[in-house]
């Protein structure tokens, strides 16, 4: 609640930024985090609405829940390689966030991690991620395409709900369950590129409220150009392309 604090330089020797450290510092526009910091606590920069950029050093291995939630001026973030999970609501409501780099070290994306990041237009989820939490990308109105890696087995409830610009999605054959409303109100969703067969798709547990997902045109992966009729796709320069 240091509402007039506009900048801060954290000295070398500090290893931890504690929970709520800069909560509601509405005027804080820049912060320098030294290389020795290993953890950023829960809600450490919550509602720092003037914070436009932050450099997170490679020494950081833990970022707490809601650490940057409500930082409405934050435009881009690069998460260091040592971080293994993006917690609940970490970047929720960062309405100016247009790009995010998620490293290969991350194995889970928590509930509401990027919810209401209304400027986020694309996201690359690395192969290391095995779970995408509930409402993880809900209300990301600008998100137009998503490629989910082979490592993911579960897509949580309302994970991509109300992503009204989402036109296509690539789903790996490793996915066994899609939660309730995971694609609720994804009114632009027209194409689903599924990496398995029709039989594989029928074995997936798809929760309620996924009408836009199930009604979209579904394509099944074929590395070679198929000779039989049907909907098939393959990769061209890393982009899902219909045969």
């Amino acid at each position: 609640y240091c509402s007039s604090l506009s900048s801060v330089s954290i000295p070398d020797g500090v290893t931890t930024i504690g929970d709520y450290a800069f909560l509601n510092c509405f005027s804080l526009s820049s912060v320098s985090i030294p290389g020795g910091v290993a953890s950023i606590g829960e809600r450490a920069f919550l509602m720092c609405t003037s914070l436009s950029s932050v450099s997170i050093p490679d020494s950081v291995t833990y970022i707490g829940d809601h650490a940057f939630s409500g930082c409405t001026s934050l435009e881009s973030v690069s998460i260091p390689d040592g971080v293994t999970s993006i917690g609940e609501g970490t970047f929720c409501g960062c309405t100016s966030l247009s790009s995010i780099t998620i490293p290969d070290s991350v194995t889970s994306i928590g509930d509401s991690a990027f919810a209401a990041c209304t400027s986020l237009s694309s996201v690359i989820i690395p192969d290391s991620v095995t779970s995408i939490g509930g409402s993880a990308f809900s209300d990301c109105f600008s998100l137009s395409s998503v490629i989910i890696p082979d490592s993911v087995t579960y897509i949580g409830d309302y994970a991509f709900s109300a992503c009204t610009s989402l036109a296509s999605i690539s789903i790996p054959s490793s996915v066994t369950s899609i939660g309730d409303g995971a694609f609720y109100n994804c009114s632009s969703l027209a194409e689903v590129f599924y990496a398995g067969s029709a039989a594989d798709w029928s074995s997936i547990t798809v929760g309620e409220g996924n009408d836009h997902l199930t009604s979209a045109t579904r394509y099944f992966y074929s590395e070679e150009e198929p000779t039989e009729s049907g909907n098939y796709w393959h990769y061209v320069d890393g982009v899902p392309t219909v045969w």
Side-chain angles (χ1 to χ4, degrees):
Y1 291 94
C2 295
S3 58
S4 297
L5 184 67
S6 60
S7 66
V8 63
S9 180
I10 301 170
D12 294 338
V14 171
T15 59
T16 300
I17 299 174
D19 297 346
Y20 303 91
F22 298 96
L23 170 72
N24 287 346
C25 290
F26 305 122
S27 300
L28 187 63
S29 59
S30 65
V31 60
S32 176
I33 302 175
V37 171
S39 65
I40 298 173
E42 293 183 10
R43 294 168 170 81
F45 296 94
L46 177 71
M47 295 302 294
C48 289
T49 54
S50 297
L51 189 65
S52 58
S53 65
V54 61
S55 178
I56 303 174
D58 290 339
S59 56
V60 170
T61 58
Y62 172 79
I63 301 174
D65 293 347
H66 299 280
F68 295 96
S69 181
C71 292
T72 54
S73 297
L74 192 62
E75 296 179 356
S76 64
V77 171
S78 181
I79 299 170
D81 289 337
V83 173
T84 58
S85 66
I86 300 174
E88 179 180 333
T90 302
F91 298 98
C92 177
C94 293
T95 54
S96 297
L97 188 66
S98 58
S99 65
I100 183 78
T101 301
I102 302 174
D104 290 338
S105 57
V106 170
T107 59
S108 64
I109 298 175
D111 294 349
S112 303
F114 297 97
C117 289
T118 54
S119 297
L120 191 64
S121 59
S122 64
V123 62
I124 297 175
I125 301 172
D127 290 342
S128 54
V129 172
T130 58
S131 66
I132 300 172
S135 301
F137 295 92
S138 65
D139 298 306
C140 290
F141 304 133
S142 300
L143 195 62
S144 59
S145 65
V146 175
I147 294 178
I148 299 174
D150 292 342
S151 51
V152 171
T153 60
Y154 172 71
I155 300 174
D157 295 347
Y158 302 97
F160 297 94
S161 67
C163 290
T164 53
S165 296
L166 186 63
S168 66
I169 187 161
S170 173
I171 298 177
S173 55
S174 57
V175 169
T176 59
S177 179
I178 298 174
D180 290 345
F183 296 92
Y184 175 75
N185 200 25
C186 291
S187 53
S188 298
L189 188 59
E191 296 177 318
V192 175
F193 297 102
Y194 178 59
S197 65
D200 294 332
W201 177 267
S202 64
S203 67
I204 296 176
T205 301
V206 179
E208 297 180 357
N210 285 297
D211 293 348
H212 291 294
L213 174 71
T214 55
S215 64
T217 301
R218 193 176 308 117
Y219 297 89
F220 301 103
Y221 183 77
S222 178
E223 188 170 346
E224 302 295 332
E225 185 171 5
T227 56
E228 69 274 14
S229 61
N231 297 331
Y232 298 97
W233 69 282
H234 65 138
Y235 283 110
V236 176
D237 296 328
V239 178
T241 305
V242 175
W243 274 111

